[in-house]
Amino acid sequence: MMTVQLELPIAAIRQPENPGRLTIQERFEAFHQLNPWILEHLEALTADCVERGLRRIGIGMLFEVMRWQYGRATRGEPWKLNNDFRSRYARRLIELHPEWSPLFETRKILTA
């Protein structure tokens, strides 16, 4: 079995300036552009779960694993990962890896 041992980019998460009245999708796109490593980390965690034989994965679980790992590795500012972006990351993972679609439960997005 493979154990995921990732290099943690210890720098703080970068936040978009003046999110103002942006939609959740627009805020997610701006956040993702500043922090592409988050998707890469979620991808590695998901691949590890697949390797271990899991057939269902919650994006919330992956977020909490990241919070725990980065919370232990960083000092100073609290490490923040917005829950509003969970469904966007799950969908992005499925876009990149269609074979993972049975792993994640997604619902219709009601608002942009």
Side-chain angles (χ1 to χ4, degrees):
M1 290 266 170
M2 178 180 120
T3 302
V4 175
Q5 224 41 84
L6 298 174
E7 281 293 319
L8 301 178
I10 300 303
I13 287 180
R14 297 175 54 206
Q15 299 292 339
E17 292 181 28
N18 274 337
R21 294 179 184 228
L22 298 177
T23 65
I24 292 172
Q25 185 64 36
E26 291 168 335
R27 288 188 294 130
F28 168 73
E29 293 297 340
F31 180 82
H32 175 61
Q33 187 174 7
L34 292 170
N35 304 284
W37 59 269
I38 290 175
L39 180 61
E40 294 167 9
H41 192 96
L42 289 169
E43 243 180 316
L45 289 172
T46 303
D48 185 52
C49 289
V50 169
E51 170 114 0
R52 293 171 183 275
L54 287 136
R55 290 188 274 159
R56 298 290 291 176
I57 299 171
I59 192 70
M61 176 197 68
L62 299 179
F63 264 46
E64 296 307 323
V65 167
M66 286 186 64
R67 286 181 174 129
W68 180 78
Q69 289 176 337
Y70 284 87
R72 289 187 53 191
T74 59
R75 301 268 187 260
E77 287 275 325
W79 199 86
K80 297 179 184 176
L81 189 56
N82 192 331
N83 284 340
D84 290 348
F85 302 152
R86 285 180 177 194
S87 69
R88 273 46 179 199
Y89 276 115
R91 284 173 172 76
R92 191 64 58 96
L93 288 168
I94 292 168
E95 283 174 23
L96 295 170
H97 301 275
E99 70 277 13
W100 289 353
S101 64
L103 298 172
F104 296 98
E105 179 182 338
T106 58
R107 298 182 179 116
K108 182 179 177 182
I109 293 179
L110 301 176
T111 61

